[in-house]
Amino acid sequence: MNAIRTLLSQLFQQQASPESQEWLQNKLQQVETATNNRSFYMAFSSAPRFLGKAPLELDKTLRQSIAAVRSGLDLSNWTIDQLGRTIFMLHLPHENPADFAGKLKLLFETADMNEQVALYASFPVLPYPELFVHQTTEGIRTNMTVVFDAIALNNPYPKEQLDEDSWNQMVLKAAFMDRPLYRIQGLGERTNQKLADIVSDYARERWAAGRVVNPELWRVVGNYLQDNLLEDIKKLLKDDHPLQREAGLLALSSSTKEEAQQLLANSETKPTMGWDELALAWWKDR
Amino acid sequence: MSEQLTMIIDPHAHMTSRTTDDYQAMAKAGIVALIEPAFWLGQPRTSVGSFKDYYSSLVGWERFRSGQFGIKHYCTIGLNSKEANNEALAEQVMEILPLFIYKEGVVGIGEIGYDDQTELEDKYFRAQIELAKEAALPIQIHTPHRDKKKGTYRSMDVCEEHGVDPSMVIVDHNNEETVKEVLDRGYWCAFTIYPFTKMGNERMTDLVKEYGSERIIVDSACDWGISDPLAVPKTAAMMRERGVPESSIIDVCYRNALEAFGKSGQMKESDWLENQEIDRTQKFLGNSILRGGQEPTISDNTVIN
């Protein structure tokens, strides 16, 4: 926890103007010594007007060093006010979980759009992470794309904390909202039978309506390629679009099932790229 | 080369009660930004939680929803006069106001003022004036529809009693009886253009011709009743038709609202001008969003309202 606090504070010093730094230090003192929550709520709320909203500038080295301190932590879509807000949260006195959760509860109940983004994206670095699971499942119901993205994309929290059903709901919602699935951490690892079946049903629904299915989705069928799913993959292999066919081949290649292996062996073409590459190619034209 | 009205602001629009059809029409007609005042919902709220969630939606969901159509959404937050007469509840609402007035997109305390001009309405009007001063936010005043002249003058008197600078106050729902006094005393003078009743856009055009465009603002106050979300673009069209100078039209349909509410520091032209890569997260069902630069459609019977 202290390593994260130090990391984020250093990052802030590196990215923020001298005036912003002074403002933050000032507010931090108030937050740390306050007897009630008012100064925290005011500091949190007013962060963008004093820090601006510029995106963080992170080169590869910085991104790597961040991930080294906290695995999976990805700040590439964070803004400077978001960083400031997270630092405030990390400096909140939190003697026990209930106390900490209590302070953040009102924040959630009154958060504007960007505050929601900051809150949800901060879960991977907050103390007592298990406290925020329910809030996350509620947050996934949002129709505000930016808020949904803060939860689901470039964030290690869902793969680490959500139970299977909640995880599946998130992936399905991401498909519904047409989000870039490759940015969901753990998409290819947290596979399960239920999710594979959900994906199959979803794809068939889309196909019946003459709609396109994001080929990234097939990444989650993992080693569940049998019955209905095998039929789906066979359909994919005959698709007009090269990336759909590629998705079919990739799905086959990650399966140890005999029939899948057989199909792959008999296929004239083999996979030519990985899932990430496929995703980037897909999103490039959209 | 003289200026042309290409961008419109509607500084009084209750979008929580309007459909996406309205957003689409507003965007197409050139509205680039709007301000949604906090108001009542048609019947009185009975608990502070309703207020809290409503304010939350103004700075959260409704702001997002508006953005999906390419219209920048701002709001004013406050305890309105119609709900100020339940003292116990009003006290609770006053307690939560500070949680919201510093949120992004909040450009004033509003819409506050008098409804029946009761003592309690007066109490909470004054309390919120003080809050506005503390937060350095403009005040958006709802003038009563009944006993309007007295209520309007009284609203200004009270602002002055509290030492508020008139240039920080937008007096709304004006008419021929109130306009002169409001303008003479240095306040922003807003007019709500309603179809059929109250102020119509023919009368508005006459008012601008008589008083000029300084500190005059036009809005729709579209809400859950019969009202027109295109009132501002239509009024602009009528003014043009009837020979009001283009720069005056720009003043009353864009510039003055921007200047008045811009004093909050939370609303700048660059918000909608800046190269916004309309990124996919802001698109609604994959449609691209029209932003400004379009003339409102004019057809015979739809211009006069």
Side-chain angles (χ1 to χ4, degrees):
Chain A
M1 196 47 52
N2 276 323
I4 292 176
R5 254 168 62 148
T6 312
L7 170 79
L8 295 184
S9 296
Q10 279 173 352
L11 185 61
F12 186 83
Q13 276 161 39
Q14 190 224 35
Q15 305 264 325
S17 71
E19 297 78 29
S20 296
Q21 290 186 49
E22 200 188 313
W23 182 83
L24 189 96
Q25 280 314 313
N26 205 309
K27 293 296 155 189
L28 273 180
Q29 265 184 339
Q30 289 176 15
V31 169
E32 279 178 317
T33 57
T35 48
N36 62 39
N37 299 321
R38 192 165 194 254
S39 43
F40 169 61
Y41 293 143
M42 302 272 283
F44 189 88
S45 235
S46 55
R49 61 181 77 192
F50 295 100
L51 303 178
K53 289 156 62 165
L56 298 183
E57 281 171 33
L58 305 172
D59 59 19
K60 190 162 171 204
T61 325
L62 256 179
R63 278 186 264 129
Q64 282 172 346
S65 62
I66 290 168
V69 172
R70 198 295 186 205
S71 114
L73 185 58
D74 183 347
L75 308 188
S76 40
N77 296 295
W78 285 38
T79 52
I80 191 78
D81 55 314
Q82 187 176 356
L83 182 57
R85 282 172 160 158
T86 307
I87 292 172
F88 287 137
M89 284 191 275
L90 289 175
H91 281 82
L92 259 187
H94 49 269
E95 296 80 40
N96 59 63
D99 187 53
F100 191 57
K103 289 189 165 113
L104 294 191
K105 178 173 186 281
L106 189 58
L107 216 49
F108 267 106
E109 288 176 353
T110 60
D112 66 38
M113 194 172 73
N114 285 324
E115 286 174 327
Q116 284 187 51
V117 168
L119 285 164
Y120 284 114
S122 75
F123 289 165
V125 302
L126 295 184
Y128 318 119
E130 62 287 346
L131 284 178
F132 309 109
V133 172
H134 179 72
Q135 185 68 53
T136 299
T137 60
E138 290 291 289
I140 288 169
R141 295 177 197 291
T142 187
N143 286 323
M144 291 190 258
T145 333
V146 283
V147 176
F148 180 81
D149 287 0
I151 299 169
L153 308 184
N154 303 90
N155 187 348
Y157 187 85
K159 79 168 188 249
E160 291 167 1
Q161 297 289 341
L162 293 185
D163 68 21
E164 189 174 276
D165 283 336
S166 305
W167 167 262
N168 293 349
Q169 283 303 321
M170 188 188 81
V171 174
L172 184 61
K173 184 91 189 271
F176 257 85
M177 290 177 79
D178 205 17
R179 306 316 297 138
L181 304 179
Y182 69 96
R183 289 170 54 192
I184 297 178
Q185 289 189 14
L187 187 72
E189 288 79 48
R190 270 200 82 168
T191 58
N192 59 83
Q193 183 68 64
K194 264 190 189 168
L195 184 57
D197 289 335
I198 284 171
V199 165
S200 175
D201 285 345
Y202 169 76
R204 287 168 188 228
E205 201 178 274
R206 299 276 296 190
W207 286 332
R211 315 275 297 278
V212 167
V213 175
N214 179 351
E216 292 188 273
L217 260 181
W218 304 105
R219 188 172 190 169
V220 315
V221 303
N223 210 15
Y224 303 97
L225 269 183
Q226 61 210 22
D227 309 323
N228 51 335
L229 278 149
L230 212 43
E231 293 312 306
D232 298 332
I233 300 300
K234 285 180 188 166
K235 188 175 151 82
L236 271 183
L237 294 175
K238 297 200 225 99
D239 197 291
D240 287 336
H241 198 296
L243 289 176
Q244 301 286 1
R245 298 195 296 271
E246 189 71 34
L249 292 169
L250 275 173
L252 287 176
S253 67
S254 65
S255 174
T256 54
K257 303 261 189 300
E258 203 190 308
E259 223 193 311
Q261 303 248 317
Q262 198 57 36
L263 264 175
L264 187 59
N266 294 342
S267 166
E268 275 174 19
T269 49
K270 306 284 184 241
T272 60
M273 59 180 83
W275 283 109
D276 281 344
E277 218 186 308
L278 183 151
L280 290 173
W282 178 255
W283 286 103
K284 192 161 75 79
D285 299 326
R286 311 208 13 115
Chain B
M1 174 103 88
S2 54
E3 333 168 68
Q4 258 261 286
L5 176 77
T6 54
M7 299 184 289
I8 297 171
I9 294 175
D10 188 348
H12 194 138
H14 297 288
M15 299 313 293
T16 52
S17 56
R18 306 302 304 199
T19 66
T20 56
D21 288 356
D22 297 319
Y23 272 123
Q24 284 176 316
M26 290 166 91
K28 195 164 179 204
I31 294 174
V32 297
L34 59 82
I35 300 171
E36 178 160 7
F39 203 47
W40 77 325
L41 297 175
Q43 59 186 48
R45 298 177 178 98
T46 61
S47 72
V48 68
S50 302
F51 282 93
K52 188 163 97 183
D53 292 341
Y54 171 69
Y55 296 148
S56 224
S57 73
L58 291 183
V59 297
W61 175 241
E62 199 58 40
R63 184 157 222 244
F64 178 78
R65 194 166 84 109
S66 180
Q68 289 186 315
F69 296 91
I71 300 176
K72 281 295 200 180
H73 179 285
Y74 305 87
C75 67
T76 56
I77 298 281
L79 171 62
N80 68 86
S81 48
K82 289 184 187 291
E83 289 174 303
N85 290 292
N86 178 340
E87 196 167 13
L89 181 52
E91 284 299 316
Q92 291 183 293
V93 177
M94 290 304 299
E95 263 183 48
I96 66 168
L97 288 183
L99 288 174
F100 290 96
I101 63 179
Y102 300 101
K103 301 283 188 192
E104 253 186 88
V106 177
V107 296
I109 303 286
E111 46 176 311
I112 63 174
Y114 295 106
D115 187 43
D116 287 344
Q117 298 180 55
T118 64
E119 258 185 57
L120 281 173
E121 289 170 19
D122 185 71
K123 174 180 174 190
Y124 293 107
F125 180 43
R126 291 171 184 274
Q128 291 181 90
I129 288 172
E130 285 300 314
L131 188 59
K133 280 169 65 186
E134 192 191 318
L137 282 172
I139 299 170
Q140 186 179 36
I141 295 188
H142 163 98
T143 57
H145 295 304
R146 304 173 299 282
D147 199 17
K148 182 180 284 292
K149 189 154 113 176
K150 263 213 234 97
T152 303
Y153 289 18
R154 184 173 172 183
S155 303
M156 292 190 285
D157 292 342
V158 170
C159 284
E160 283 152 38
E161 254 184 74
H162 285 255
V164 176
D165 176 357
S167 72
M168 287 293 280
V169 182
I170 299 96
V171 180
D172 210 336
H173 310 322
N174 282 286
N175 60 24
E176 288 86 347
E177 299 298 297
T178 60
V179 56
K180 188 168 193 311
E181 184 83 358
V182 173
L183 284 176
D184 284 350
R185 286 164 77 164
Y187 291 79
W188 295 96
C189 188
F191 294 82
T192 302
I193 311 300
Y194 294 101
F196 317 123
T197 66
K198 307 190 190 92
M199 172 64 56
N201 59 10
E202 280 186 299
R203 286 158 58 200
M204 189 67 231
T205 304
D206 290 340
L207 276 166
V208 172
K209 284 186 164 182
E210 183 177 349
Y211 291 97
S213 63
E214 192 184 333
R215 275 181 289 114
I216 288 184
I217 293 171
V218 170
D219 62 58
S220 73
C222 56
D223 60 11
W224 21 256
I226 296 177
S227 42
D228 188 354
L230 297 185
V232 184
K234 285 179 182 173
T235 303
M238 166 155 290
M239 288 183 182
R240 193 176 292 116
E241 219 173 68
R242 300 206 173 172
V244 173
E246 193 72 10
S247 81
S248 299
I249 300 177
I250 298 173
D251 283 342
V252 308
C253 297
Y254 179 77
R255 250 191 308 246
N256 291 345
L258 176 56
E259 193 185 324
F261 289 99
K263 286 175 188 284
S264 63
Q266 292 298 297
M267 184 176 182
K268 307 180 195 67
E269 200 173 41
S270 54
D271 291 348
W272 49 88
L273 280 187
E274 220 152 52
N275 177 32
Q276 266 179 57
E277 216 172 83
I278 301 183
D279 89 65
R280 301 195 78 256
T281 61
Q282 302 299 324
K283 281 191 189 172
F284 182 66
L285 295 181
N287 296 326
S288 70
I289 296 157
L290 300 167
R291 265 196 306 143
Q294 293 214 296
E295 291 268 40
T297 329
I298 303 168
S299 75
D300 279 307
N301 293 332
T302 57
V303 169
I304 299 170
N305 65 356

